[in-house]
Structure formats: C-alpha cells, structure tokens
Amino acid sequence: YPEQNVINYLKSWNKDLKQDEYGNLYLINPWTPLLSAHMDTVQREDDTVWMPSIKINKKKWTISYTNSIIWWDDKCGIALAMQLYEKYWNRVSLIFSRQEEVGHVWASEFCRNHLDLLKSCKYCLVLDRRWKWDIISESNWYCSKEFQEEIVRCTKEFGYAPEHWLLSDANAYSKYINCVNLSVGYYNAH
C-alpha cells in the first residue's frame, strides 16, 4: 500500500488496532463515537513547503509516508484522532481509512465487510475538513436534522456552522449511522 509507512506507524502507536483486508485500521469500542481520518493525501506540485514531523504532548509523531505536510488533508485528522484516543481511550472508537482521495473506496468496503462493528458505534465524526469552522452534515444527507442541530449546539461557541461539500469517507459511513465531517484545521484541501 502507498500508505504502508503510516499504517506501520499507527500500528506501533497502538497495538490494539486491527487491519482489515483493504488496509484500513480500526479499533471499535461498542456504543462509543467513531473518530475517522484517512491515511492518504494529495500534494500540489507547486507546494514546496514541507514539515518533517509534528509534536503533540511532547511526543514526536511523524505521520506521513514521506515528509509530513501537516497543513494538508488529512494529517490533522489523524493527529487529532490519536490525541483524543489517548485522552478518552475506552470512550471512543477509531478508523483510519485508505484511499479516501480516490473516492472513499476502502471506507465503503469496510462498511460492507464490518457493518456490525460500524453499527455498534453511536455516531461518526469524520475529522477531515479544512480550516476550522465547517460542519458537513444534514445538507449532504450525512445525518438527521436533529443530530446536526445537536452538533451545531455543541460547536457554536467555537465558530462552527453547517456547510455543504462534495466527498469524504462520511459518504460511506452515513448510509448506516449518523455522521458529520468536521473541520480540523488543516490549510489546503488540495
């Protein structure tokens, strides 16, 4: 897999992560929120600014299969999911998917092959949106209006608001559970 170095790193970070036949990594704690981020990325040819690593909680986490381009899609989502898991380990579930950038193919396969695990989660927060204020939700048919209203209520003080967008792994997961795609602070979406 092109993401193999990221897969290896995440598996060394958490030995409880399972890997499916498509390379997706997951750890499901039933009846908890599912945090989702994807391991592949895209970089424009004209972007020459690279960061070799990022630091969170005084740990050096290099989360890329080349140099880390942290302000690009979706390294911030991975870092945030890792940080939230370390703080709330038994109260969240994780999925790190492959190949989201080419149409969420492997997230869809995860749903087909592990639907019981997916449905055991309360809801899904896809941590894959640029900037810091978007909630992609009901307008994309990712969730119920009531779920969107609750997410907006919880995030309003931080400046979040509903927005419409095109594609993310939420397209796959939202067919089965309430799902939102949240901004996580990266700079470029491609």
Side-chain angles (χ1 to χ4, degrees):
Y1 305 127
E3 304 91 350
Q4 192 61 53
N5 287 343
V6 178
I7 291 169
N8 293 344
Y9 178 80
L10 289 170
K11 287 171 79 174
S12 72
W13 164 72
N14 188 323
K15 305 279 188 228
D16 293 328
L17 283 168
K18 294 179 174 67
Q19 185 171 356
D20 70 10
E21 57 273 34
Y22 303 102
N24 298 310
L25 299 177
Y26 63 95
L27 191 159
I28 304 297
N29 292 310
W31 313 118
T32 63
L34 175 62
L35 305 177
S36 169
H38 63 88
M39 297 181 282
D40 58 322
T41 193
V42 175
Q43 181 173 359
R44 292 187 325 225
E45 289 180 26
D46 64 341
D47 186 2
T48 58
V49 181
W50 291 78
M51 289 179 65
S53 64
I54 61 170
K55 291 183 182 182
I56 297 175
N57 293 336
K58 300 180 184 171
K59 296 179 184 176
K60 185 176 179 180
W61 291 353
T62 303
I63 50 174
S64 182
Y65 50 86
T66 58
N67 289 329
S68 184
I69 45 176
I70 188 61
W71 43 81
W72 280 76
D73 180 355
D74 185 29
K75 302 302 187 246
C76 289
I78 291 174
L80 181 59
M82 292 169 75
Q83 190 172 26
L84 289 169
Y85 183 82
E86 286 189 355
K87 185 170 184 176
Y88 304 107
W89 63 276
N90 64 344
R91 293 183 283 172
V92 296
S93 296
L94 300 170
I95 182 163
F96 299 110
S97 65
R98 290 186 56 241
Q99 307 264 319
E100 185 268 355
E101 299 294 355
V102 293
H104 63 80
V105 175
W106 302 127
S108 296
E109 288 301 323
F110 180 85
C111 294
R112 277 193 270 286
N113 292 296
H114 304 288
L115 189 55
D116 56 330
L117 291 176
L118 180 67
K119 285 185 170 183
S120 76
C121 296
K122 284 184 172 182
Y123 52 85
C124 181
L125 302 177
V126 176
L127 308 173
D128 178 25
R129 181 78 178 124
R130 69 180 178 159
W131 306 116
K132 58 181 181 174
W133 48 75
D134 290 346
I135 302 169
I136 313 300
S137 53
E138 195 258 340
S139 65
N140 276 46
W141 305 284
Y142 287 169
C143 64
S144 67
K145 186 170 181 63
E146 295 78 20
F147 187 72
Q148 174 182 286
E149 289 169 357
E150 185 62 19
I151 295 293
V152 168
R153 185 189 66 74
C154 292
T155 60
K156 191 171 192 145
E157 72 177 278
F158 304 105
Y160 279 79
E163 183 60 66
H164 182 77
W165 197 245
L166 298 174
L167 176 75
S168 81
D169 283 341
N171 291 48
Y173 307 136
S174 65
K175 293 176 184 173
Y176 308 102
I177 61 174
N178 277 317
C179 193
V180 295
N181 187 350
L182 295 174
S183 291
V184 293
Y186 63 77
Y187 179 68
N188 266 319
H190 321 123

